[in-house]
Amino acid sequence: MLIEEFKIREMTDEDIDAILLIEKDSFKSPWNRNHFLFEIKSNSLSINGVGLLNNAVIGYVMAWTIMNELHINNIAVRKDLRERGFGTQLLSWILKKGMEKRIECAMLEVRENNISAINLYKKLGFIECGRRKKYYADDGSDAILFYKDIKVDKI
């Protein structure tokens, strides 16, 4: 019996091929290689992690630190491995990274029809705080905005 080992580490350019497969399978308007390269190599505001199951990339999460905000840009898990808690662990990892940088809140937007993602965000304490009408150009769907206070109290 194979024991599954899941871990999360910082993203590298060597992860991009696996990430692109997940990205194309997860989003209507996927990012391309250059988007990921920029985030990994050039964007000093970017925090990027990959989830590894038995050392294979099965998910990723990306965010920007802007002032006191952690803006979560992308999170995805391979379709055949969803609903097993990997997305929860990836999102928790990036929130912890934000807290380590003394970030006070996390924000994100999600397609109004992405029920599994909405449920994940609510499960981790995000609250709906707004809507961007017709935000997604590919199908005209709305984006729901979510917010979470992640400020670390001083002891």
Side-chain angles (χ1 to χ4, degrees), residues 24-76:
K24 288 175 187 172
D25 200 31
S26 299
F27 299 107
K28 288 183 179 184
S29 299
W31 285 12
N32 64 37
R33 180 177 301 279
N34 289 334
H35 286 118
F36 287 100
L37 282 172
F38 173 76
E39 295 301 326
I40 294 167
K41 296 200 174 268
S42 301
N43 189 349
S44 63
L45 303 176
S46 194
I47 303 171
N48 311 295
V50 290
L52 305 167
L53 185 63
N54 298 327
N55 293 314
V57 174
I58 60 108
Y60 59 95
V61 61
M62 307 177 79
W64 293 333
T65 55
I66 304 168
M67 305 290 283
N68 67 338
E69 176 188 323
L70 181 71
H71 184 85
I72 299 165
N73 295 317
N74 268 4
I75 181 169

Side-chain angles (χ1 to χ4, degrees), residues 79-97:
K79 272 190 178 178
D80 63 322
L81 295 170
R82 292 182 185 162
E83 305 296 327
R84 293 182 49 188
F86 300 126
T88 300
Q89 290 181 65
L90 285 163
L91 190 53
S92 296
W93 180 86
I94 204 108
L95 291 171
K96 182 178 177 201
K97 291 288 183 184

Side-chain angles (χ1 to χ4, degrees), residues 45-47 63-73 94-95 97-99 101-109 126 129 132 145-151:
L45 303 176
S46 194
I47 303 171
W64 293 333
T65 55
I66 304 168
M67 305 290 283
N68 67 338
E69 176 188 323
L70 181 71
H71 184 85
I72 299 165
N73 295 317
I94 204 108
L95 291 171
K97 291 288 183 184
M99 286 187 272
K101 292 181 176 282
R102 311 304 277 175
I103 298 294
E104 296 180 5
C105 67
M107 300 281 297
L108 60 87
E109 62 267 332
F126 282 82
C129 64
R132 291 190 175 133
L145 302 174
F146 279 92
Y147 169 89
K148 178 177 175 69
D149 183 2
I150 62 169
K151 188 173 15 186

Side-chain angles (χ1 to χ4, degrees), residues 112-131:
E112 62 188 337
N113 62 352
N114 191 343
I115 303 305
S116 61
I118 290 168
N119 289 337
L120 169 62
Y121 304 140
K122 287 181 177 179
K123 179 173 108 177
L124 288 182
F126 282 82
I127 57 170
E128 186 175 333
C129 64
R131 189 173 279 258

